[in-house]
């Protein structure tokens, strides 16, 4: 072999090696990204899956009509006002006659959630004929007991460092042996608003808050975004001014979201007087953020419609407006919707602007309109992560799981829209 | 059809905006300190369960931020209460008066202690304010390890997670530890006592106390500064150091024997009482025997109660609605 051929072969070998290395770097980058995602999902899942069930304790309760000072014939209002908390505590104390001192009785009562009161009230209201009978009922355990049962807090340490007392631990073991400790699906998590008791806290308020805020955001930004995109793409003259507008729309998409929050505080709350902490204010601020995303997506979709469609319609005598509304826009709609959904998914995960307009709040009542105070999903995660009670750790992770599910669903919807309706020419 | 949809949406939105503007509030709005927030939220929840009234909405804005919102004016677009982990300042009173908020009612709800805590597996230590000042101050000797300050302290690097300047906890730490510690350590006069060193030994860890607790349980050499309720809820992970030999506990905070104790407040707008429904009831609930009495539910959350005689006085104040002097 000649020298030239040998040099050629060496160079070739080098180029192949470089290519192999390049592929390897790519694979490593993907592996790093994937392992980060799996690590995230793993930590969230292991911390959060236990939030979907709750420990409950069976207890016998005599629905003593004399103690409640009602009869089965009493009106619903009288039945609702009776002292069910007192009745429950009396029953629990009487069921454990060996516990005498005041502080021990307090420990005993605190093994149960406060929801026992409303549970009993609802039971009597639904069937007043139960008054006077003795029922075996399941009651939610309080959060400290729940964390011990789930192993989220250690049990084999000194009493003063443990979340439950020695007495509570002894009773728990005794009841477990008697088969009176069970677990149930945590329905509260999906039906109730926020609470300072981890066993009663739910995500429904934040879900409703996010829903209303996104609805307001969609109602504002979707029509406005499409109108702006159509004008800029189809009608606006191409000159210096439209160029400046275009550049600024792109800039707007990159503005940090906290700035929109400050703008919302100054203009929407203080100038227009929209009520603080409401999804209406939140939705307006979020729409400022989604607007540029929608405009850019819609313009790209309009651009992708081939000129032959426009020219064909014009040739058939359609006015420019008819061309756009009857022919171009329907063809551009799938792409626009995809952009809109991705914009809304971003808005769903946004917290910073909501901080400024007061949606970082403890809200118990579930909002039924955009004008009632509400929190939002990511805000709820932050509020729970800040709480000192141990039971909120698993709730925080569970709420993150719910957000991730919604984000995946929305992105999936966007992909389906694109795959199903997008036309290629 | 498309045009029709847009028209409907736009009309709907306009209607929504108009009703928003004409909105009269029937829900109490509360802002203020993140230290009082865990207690105020529990009271709000009870208040909501009790009657037919809506549950108050509570934002945790920090004491200073809360005062700013509270003093911005009267009317439904401004909050009714603000929580505070220190008394209202003169400048804040002026701001209030300027915006027409001339009658403010001050209510003390309890006390709070600030813990200087480390990992419960590490050695439990005792500090004096002077030692803490030397360890933390920008104008101090800036030692690397604890035993450079005092031979009784361990040979371990100084690592402290401290609250940021915006928090009320920091205000209290500055006035109760940095100030007296500065004198105790014999600081030359004329130099600033406050201000943490910036060489990495003291780290401002943000407002998230849960995060500090997690850092402490992972790092046996670090110390953290936060409210008593977080120590109380995490006793399996962390322990409070003694200050001047005094243990942090409900009793020592209540008697102010523990050196880093401070009162907690909330402030009410007198002009809103009777206009926004439920304000009187909320105030009464907060200082009721069921909340802050001997077996009150706020005590379970780590609130350090007032002395019984003070409690009676506070309940009287609420009945009489006596405003503070401006």
């Amino acid at each position: 072999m000649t020298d030239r051929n040998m040099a050629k072969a060496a160079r070739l070998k080098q180029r192949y090696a470089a290519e192999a290395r390049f592929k390897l770097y790519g694979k490593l980058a993907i592996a790093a990204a994937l392992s980060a995602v799996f690590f995230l999902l793993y930590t969230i899942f292991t911390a959060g899956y236990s939030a979907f069930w709750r420990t409950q304790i069976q207890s016998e309760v005599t629905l003593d009509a004399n103690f409640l000072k009602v009869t089965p014939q009493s009106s619903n209002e009288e039945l609702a006002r009776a002292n069910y908390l007192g009745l429950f505590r009396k029953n629990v104390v009487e069921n454990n006659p060996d516990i005498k001192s005041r502080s021990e009785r307090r420990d005993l009562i605190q093994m149960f959630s406060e929801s026992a009161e409303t549970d009993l009230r609802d039971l009597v209201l639904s069937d007043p004929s139960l008054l006077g009978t003795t029922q075996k009922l399941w009651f939610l355990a309080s959060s400290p007991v729940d964390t011990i049962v789930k192993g989220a807090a250690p049990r084999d340490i000194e009493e003063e460092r443990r979340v439950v007392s020695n007495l509570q631990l002894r009773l728990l073991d005794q009841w477990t042996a008697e088969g009176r400790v069970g677990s149930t699906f945590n329905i509260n998590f999906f039906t109730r608003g926020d609470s300072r008791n981890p066993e009663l806290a739910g995500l429904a308020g934040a879900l409703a808050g996010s829903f209303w805020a996104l609805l307001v955001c969609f109602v504002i930004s979707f029509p406005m975004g499409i109108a702006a995109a159509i004008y800029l793409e189809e009608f606006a003259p191409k000159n210096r001014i439209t160029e400046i507008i275009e550049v600024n729309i792109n800039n707007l998409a990159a503005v940090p979201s906290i700035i929109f929050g400050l703008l919302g505080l100054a203009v929407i709350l203080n100038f227009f007087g929209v009520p603080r902490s409401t999804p209406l204010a939140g939705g307006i601020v979020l729409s400022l953020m989604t607007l540029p995303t929608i405009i850019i997506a819609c313009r790209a979709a309009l651009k992708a419609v081939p000129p032959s469609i426009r020219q064909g319609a014009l040739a058939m005598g359609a006015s420019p407006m008819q061309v756009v509304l009857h022919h171009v826009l329907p063809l551009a709609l799938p792409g626009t919707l995809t952009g809109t959904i991705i914009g809304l998914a971003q808005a769903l995960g946004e917290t910073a602007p909501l901080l400024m307009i007061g949606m970082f709040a403890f809200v118990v009542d579930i909002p039924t309109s955009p004008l009632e105070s509400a929190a939002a999903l990511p805000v709820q995660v932050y509020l729970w992560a800040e709480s000192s009670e141990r039971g909120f750790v698993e709730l925080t992770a569970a709420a993150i799981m719910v957000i991730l599910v919604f984000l995946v669903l929305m992105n999936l919807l966007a992909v389906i829209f694109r795959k199903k309706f997008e036309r290629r020419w | 059809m498309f045009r029709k949809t847009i028209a409907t949406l736009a009309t709907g939105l306009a209607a929504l905006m108009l009703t928003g503007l004409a909105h009269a509030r029937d829900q109490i709005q509360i802002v203020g300190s993140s230290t009082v927030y865990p207690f105020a939220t529990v009271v709000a929840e009870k208040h909501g369960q009790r009657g037919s009234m809506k549950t108050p909405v509570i934002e945790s804005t920090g004491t200073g931020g809360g005062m700013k919102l509270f003093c911005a004016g009267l009317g439904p677009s401004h909050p009714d209460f603000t929580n505070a982990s220190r008394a209202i300042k003169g400048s804040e009173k002026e701001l209030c008066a300027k915006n027409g908020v001339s009658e403010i009612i001050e209510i003390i709800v309890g006390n709070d202690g600030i813990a200087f805590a480390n990992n419960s597996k590490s050695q439990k230590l005792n500090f004096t304010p002077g030692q803490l000042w030397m360890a933390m101050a920008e104008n101090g000797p800036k030692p690397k390890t604890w035993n450079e300050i005092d031979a009784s302290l361990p040979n371990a690097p100084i690592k402290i997670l401290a609250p940021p300047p915006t928090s009320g906890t920091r205000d209290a730490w500055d006035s109760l530890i940095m100030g007296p510690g500065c004198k105790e350590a014999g600081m030359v006069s004329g130099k600033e006592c406050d201000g943490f060193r910036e060489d990495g030994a003291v780290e401002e860890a943000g407002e998230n106390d849960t995060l500090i607790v997690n850092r402490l349980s992972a790092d046996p050499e670090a110390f953290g500064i936060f409210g008593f309720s977080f120590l109380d809820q995490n006793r399996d992970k962390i322990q409070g150091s003694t200050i001047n030999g005094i243990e942090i506990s409900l009793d020592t905070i209540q008697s102010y024997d523990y050196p880093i104790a401070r009162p907690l407040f909330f402030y009410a707008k007198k002009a809103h009482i009777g206009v926004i429904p439920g304000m009187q009831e909320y105030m009464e609930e907060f200082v009721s025997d069921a909340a802050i009495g001997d077996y009150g539910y706020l005590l379970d959350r780590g609130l350090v109660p007032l002395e019984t005689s003070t409690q009676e006085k506070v309940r009287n104040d609420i009945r009489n609605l006596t405003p503070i002097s401006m």
Side-chain angles (χ1 to χ4, degrees):
Chain A
M1 213 187 280
T2 62
D3 281 357
R4 249 181 92 187
N5 273 346
M6 265 171 62
K8 220 178 187 176
R11 268 212 307 281
L12 199 62
K13 210 174 146 194
Q14 237 172 22
R15 275 161 59 187
Y16 279 138
E19 192 183 322
R21 278 201 304 278
F22 185 72
K23 278 185 189 162
L24 183 70
Y25 296 149
K27 278 179 193 160
L28 281 178
I30 290 172
L34 273 184
S35 58
V37 169
F38 278 120
F39 178 71
L40 179 82
L41 289 179
Y42 175 78
T43 43
I44 290 170
F45 184 78
T46 47
Y49 77 97
S50 59
F52 293 104
W53 50 274
R54 283 272 169 249
T55 306
Q56 53 176 4
I57 302 171
Q58 197 183 42
S59 192
E60 251 179 36
V61 173
T62 305
L63 298 167
D64 186 344
N66 291 331
F67 181 88
L68 291 173
K69 301 194 185 77
V70 291
T71 64
Q73 285 75 42
S74 301
S75 70
N76 271 355
E77 202 178 307
E78 282 171 314
L79 286 175
R81 244 188 296 126
N83 180 9
Y84 293 98
L85 189 64
L87 178 78
F88 177 73
R89 292 187 168 172
K90 176 171 163 278
N91 271 287
V92 169
V93 169
E94 282 171 3
N95 287 346
N96 298 279
D98 50 322
I99 294 170
K100 295 236 157 49
S101 83
R102 194 173 166 184
S103 69
E104 282 187 335
R105 283 189 175 164
R106 205 175 132 77
D107 276 1
L108 170 67
I109 286 165
Q110 282 186 350
M111 293 184 69
F112 294 91
S113 164
E114 285 170 18
S115 67
E117 182 182 8
T118 42
D119 287 352
L120 284 179
R121 182 194 300 146
D122 294 347
L123 182 73
V124 171
L125 278 175
S126 67
D127 187 1
S129 68
L130 290 175
L131 281 170
T133 61
T134 300
Q135 302 283 328
K136 266 195 175 173
L137 299 168
W138 287 97
F139 295 99
L140 272 188
S142 67
S143 179
V145 172
D146 188 53
T147 49
I148 286 284
V149 170
K150 287 175 180 168
R155 56 175 288 162
D156 298 322
I157 49 176
E158 312 91 271
E159 181 175 21
E160 56 269 25
R161 285 173 49 208
R162 208 188 304 125
V163 291
V164 298
S165 69
N166 283 341
L167 174 76
Q168 288 175 329
L169 200 60
R170 183 172 63 77
L171 283 172
L172 181 65
D173 289 342
Q174 184 192 327
W175 292 344
T176 312
E178 289 168 9
R180 287 174 54 200
V181 177
S183 68
T184 174
F185 178 68
N186 185 6
I187 190 84
N188 285 337
F189 186 69
F190 297 101
T191 57
R192 291 180 58 117
D194 197 2
S195 167
R196 286 309 312 286
N197 297 311
E199 76 274 11
L200 299 179
L203 208 54
L207 274 171
S210 273
F211 169 76
W212 289 117
L214 286 187
L215 188 73
V216 170
C217 173
F218 176 76
V219 165
I220 295 173
S221 56
F222 188 64
M224 249 162 67
I226 289 184
I230 290 178
Y231 180 76
L232 283 175
E233 196 57 40
E234 303 285 331
F235 297 107
K238 298 271 175 276
N239 58 24
R240 186 59 66 80
I241 296 173
T242 46
E243 239 168 62
I244 291 174
I245 291 176
E246 256 168 57
V247 169
N248 277 309
I249 287 175
N250 291 335
N251 281 340
L252 208 58
V255 168
S257 54
I258 185 82
I259 292 171
F260 290 118
L262 284 167
L263 183 78
L265 178 67
V267 177
I268 292 160
L269 294 193
N270 294 345
F271 186 73
F272 286 111
V274 173
R276 201 178 158 80
S277 305
T278 56
L280 178 63
I284 295 172
V285 171
L286 291 177
S287 71
L288 296 177
M289 281 185 46
T290 13
L291 206 49
T293 316
I294 294 180
I295 295 177
I296 292 167
C298 186
R299 290 192 63 183
L302 288 171
K303 244 186 215 135
V305 177
S308 54
I309 304 263
R310 293 185 185 83
Q311 286 153 4
L314 285 171
M316 296 304 286
S319 73
M321 200 173 120
Q322 283 173 328
V323 172
V324 170
L325 291 185
H326 295 176
H327 300 279
V328 180
L329 190 58
L331 290 171
L333 217 47
T336 314
L337 278 175
T338 308
T340 308
I341 292 168
I342 288 169
L344 288 179
Q346 270 173 3
L348 176 71
E350 198 55 68
T351 47
L354 303 181
L355 176 69
M356 306 308 298
I357 53 152
M359 282 181 85
F360 258 73
F362 175 73
V363 185
V364 174
D365 302 329
I366 297 169
T368 52
S369 84
L371 285 171
E372 287 171 40
S373 298
L377 282 174
V379 169
Q380 194 68 67
V381 169
Y382 181 77
L383 289 175
W384 282 347
E386 279 237 291
S387 302
S388 63
E389 287 84 1
R390 196 57 79 74
F392 282 114
V393 175
E394 57 174 16
L395 284 178
T396 309
I400 294 172
M401 282 156 77
V402 172
I403 295 183
L404 287 179
V405 166
F406 273 100
L407 289 181
V408 167
L409 284 180
M410 286 172 88
N411 286 330
L412 201 67
L413 196 68
V415 170
I416 290 172
F417 265 122
R418 202 168 54 217
K419 282 263 181 300
K420 211 166 160 75
F421 297 110
E422 199 173 57
R423 278 178 65 176
R424 298 199 174 278
W425 285 280
Chain B
M1 189 215 83
F2 189 67
R3 260 180 292 177
K4 222 171 166 182
T5 326
I6 289 189
T8 327
L9 289 180
T11 342
L13 185 76
L16 210 60
M17 296 276 278
L18 282 178
T19 43
L21 299 182
H23 185 63
R25 190 150 53 80
D26 60 351
Q27 192 168 28
I28 297 173
Q29 279 189 346
I30 305 172
V31 292
S33 161
S34 56
T35 312
V36 186
Y37 172 88
F39 310 125
T41 44
V42 175
V43 175
E45 205 177 332
K46 291 269 177 200
H47 175 77
Q49 285 165 358
R50 207 100 332 144
S52 48
M53 276 165 289
K54 285 187 173 172
T55 312
V57 170
I58 306 182
E59 275 180 68
S60 162
T61 60
T63 304
M67 286 292 176
K68 221 168 141 189
L69 288 166
F70 181 79
C71 288
L74 292 174
S77 53
H78 302 285
D80 311 307
F81 294 103
T82 185
N83 300 320
S85 55
R86 56 163 169 77
I88 187 168
K89 288 181 185 165
S91 58
E92 289 161 348
K93 283 183 187 173
E94 279 164 31
L95 179 70
C96 265
K98 202 183 91 194
N99 291 323
V101 187
S102 52
E103 287 185 303
I104 306 171
I105 299 155
E106 179 182 80
I107 297 130
I108 299 190
V109 291
N111 304 303
D112 182 38
I114 297 170
F116 188 72
N118 66 348
N119 191 314
S120 56
K121 290 192 195 84
S122 307
Q123 195 189 346
K124 192 178 170 92
L125 295 172
N126 176 51
F127 296 97
T128 66
Q131 290 168 344
L132 290 174
W133 181 82
M134 282 202 269
M136 298 178 76
E138 174 65 21
N139 292 327
K142 294 192 183 171
K144 287 256 174 324
T145 60
W146 286 105
N147 62 355
E148 285 176 39
I149 299 172
D150 192 300
S152 68
L153 294 171
N155 178 16
I158 294 174
K159 207 186 283 177
I160 299 168
L161 305 171
T166 46
S167 90
T169 308
R170 174 70 170 269
D171 288 344
W173 185 264
D174 282 348
S175 66
L176 295 167
I177 290 292
M178 299 305 274
C182 190
K183 278 194 205 105
E184 188 192 314
M187 231 311 260
V188 239
S189 61
K191 271 197 182 173
E192 192 70 26
C193 282
D194 298 350
F196 292 160
R197 55 200 276 197
E198 284 161 9
D199 57 357
V202 178
E203 185 187 331
E204 280 174 9
E207 292 265 17
N208 192 334
D209 293 340
T210 312
L211 191 77
I212 300 185
V213 170
N214 286 338
R215 295 266 303 269
L216 294 188
S217 59
D219 183 351
E221 282 176 346
F223 285 82
I225 297 168
F226 41 79
F228 176 66
S229 63
F230 279 85
L231 176 66
D232 202 37
Q233 297 280 345
N234 294 287
R235 283 192 187 276
D236 57 321
K237 291 182 187 162
I238 50 176
Q239 62 186 358
S241 310
T242 54
I243 308 288
N244 285 341
I246 295 158
E247 190 78 45
I248 181 169
S249 75
L250 283 182
D251 295 332
T252 55
I253 295 170
Q254 190 185 36
S255 62
Y256 281 73
D257 287 331
Y258 183 74
I260 335 172
R262 56 173 170 175
L264 300 177
F265 305 86
F266 71 86
Y267 292 87
K269 264 178 208 167
K270 193 171 180 183
H272 282 198
I273 296 172
V275 181
I276 309 286
M279 280 180 70
Q280 184 82 31
E281 289 84 350
Y282 172 82
M283 291 196 283
E284 280 167 10
E285 175 74 46
F286 210 138
V287 298
S288 67
D289 198 47
I292 62 171
D294 282 346
Y295 292 93
Y297 55 78
L298 289 182
L299 275 55
D300 299 339
R301 307 283 177 160
L303 182 78
V304 183
L306 300 165
E307 308 269 358
T308 322
S309 54
T310 326
Q311 285 185 23
E312 270 317 306
K313 191 190 154 293
V314 171
R315 279 176 209 135
N316 261 324
D317 285 354
I318 287 180
R319 250 167 262 135
N320 302 331
L321 298 177
T322 343
I324 54 170
S325 62
M326 294 296 280

